[in-house]
Amino acid sequence: MIAPERPLKPETMVNCTHNRVSMSLSRAVRMALAATVALIAAGCGGGGGGTTPTGTTATGKVLEVETNQPPATAAQVSINGHTTTTAADGTFTVTGLSAGSAAVTVTATGEIAGHFTTSLIANTSNNLGNIFVSAAGYTAAVSGRVVVNLKGLTTPVANALVTISGSSATSAVDGTFSIGGLPVGLIGDGNTPVGTITATGYQTRQIFLQFALGASPPVNNLGDLLVAAPIGATPGPPNDITGQVTVGGQAAPAGLTVTLVQNGTTIGTTTTDSTGSYGFWVAAGVYSISAASGTKSNTVTVTLTSTDVPVTAPVIAL
């Protein structure tokens, strides 16, 4: 503590109802006492224990599966005990939330209450997108794969966040995902997306269904969901594996098919250019690359340790 220049008089003492600081004190002492006043004032009044708002909120829009329109009567949205009523257009905002796992319940007249769990980011307005309520229940499940097309190669996208009607899942290394507890009959329309796909470095894609979700089992397979080509520096195309194919010791002609395989599964194909060269952009891993010309074929193996450290595959000699 900083000692005052002279003893404080009684009227300079600080309390919760009347605070006065001696003007004869040094600037440093006045600053120190001001901080003390703030701390004491924060504790005045008793009965406290309240938490400071985090600024974490959740927004979204409630729609009916049957009409793709907001419920005729306002719906109730409850997130971890914080409840609000939707506006006429179905939109809502829930405030005063905490970050992390959040249990969401949506109730609407004539519809079965919907329940799902989501994850909220602190001090952010978390957009849950379109949330659909259904009179037929929430026993639908979907599966699919998030992919990107680079130079003719279909490549899985890992760690993509797939959200459908508020429920989310993260794609695996092979791009696959599955989500359960979805509203039966969900289909949306050409103007009403049922969800989104977001992944670092990629453009956000809206999800539109081509058929109504049936009760599971069986699981509704959405197939490959294509996201737009990468943007920015992460990830970094165009190629992180390059190589060349030769035929009889000469560069292979343009248009020769080159196939990329991982763990026995074909990841994709591309073709050689006029110099016999080819390229792939893929996640880190061990791959087999093969090509064929007439009766001749050959396969090489390459290991990619990181997407930002390109490698050159051994020459595929035919």
Side-chain angles (χ1 to χ4, degrees):
M1 294 183 64
I2 301 176
E5 294 179 345
R6 56 187 176 183
L8 295 179
K9 296 180 180 180
E11 64 265 28
T12 64
M13 300 304 292
V14 179
N15 58 54
C16 294
T17 59
H18 184 66
N19 303 316
R20 289 183 294 178
V21 180
S22 171
M23 295 304 293
S24 63
L25 299 179
S26 68
R27 181 175 181 273
V29 173
R30 292 199 300 271
M31 292 178 63
L33 285 175
T36 304
V37 169
L39 290 173
I40 296 175
C44 295
T51 57
T52 302
T54 62
T56 303
T57 63
T59 63
K61 187 174 187 178
V62 176
L63 301 173
E64 293 180 325
V65 162
E66 297 81 7
T67 64
N68 292 317
Q69 297 296 318
T73 302
Q76 299 289 315
V77 180
S78 179
I79 303 178
N80 285 353
H82 297 261
T83 303
T84 191
T85 301
T86 57
D89 62 354
T91 58
F92 66 86
T93 299
V94 181
T95 61
L97 300 173
S98 298
S101 180
V104 182
T105 298
V106 181
T107 56
T109 302
E111 309 288 348
I112 297 174
H115 307 274
F116 63 90
T117 301
T118 189
S119 182
L120 301 178
I121 301 173
N123 301 314
T124 299
S125 177
N126 297 264
N127 186 1
L128 305 184
N130 291 332
I131 300 174
F132 292 82
V133 287
S134 171
Y138 303 86
T139 57
V142 300
S143 63
R145 186 172 73 132
V146 182
V147 298
V148 64
N149 189 293
L150 294 172
K151 291 184 174 292
L153 172 66
T154 299
T155 303
V157 177
N159 299 316
L161 182 66
V162 183
T163 301
I164 298 178
S165 189
S167 297
S168 300
T170 301
S171 62
V173 173
D174 61 357
T176 59
F177 68 89
S178 61
I179 302 176
L182 296 175
V184 175
L186 176 62
I187 186 171
D189 57 39
N191 298 314
T192 307
V194 300
T196 58
I197 302 174
T198 58
T200 301
Y202 294 85
Q203 298 179 32
T204 297
R205 171 195 165 146
Q206 293 182 319
I207 300 175
F208 296 89
L209 297 179
Q210 303 300 314
F211 57 89
L213 298 184
S216 301
V219 173
N220 299 270
N221 186 0
L222 305 184
D224 284 354
L225 300 180
L226 184 69
V227 293
I231 55 177
T234 305
N239 300 307
D240 50 18
I241 295 178
T242 57
Q244 185 186 38
V245 180
T246 61
V247 178
Q250 302 296 318
L256 193 67
T257 298
V258 181
T259 303
L260 185 73
V261 175
Q262 184 180 52
N263 297 326
T265 300
T266 298
I267 302 299
T269 61
T270 188
T271 57
T272 54
D273 62 16
S274 59
T275 66
S277 300
Y278 64 88
F280 293 109
W281 192 91
V282 290
V286 179
Y287 298 92
S288 296
I289 307 173
S290 62
S293 178
T295 59
K296 298 179 180 179
S297 63
N298 196 6
T299 300
V300 297
T301 300
V302 64
T303 299
L304 179 68
T305 58
S306 175
T307 56
D308 60 358
V309 182
V311 297
T312 301
V315 173
I316 303 177
L318 304 178

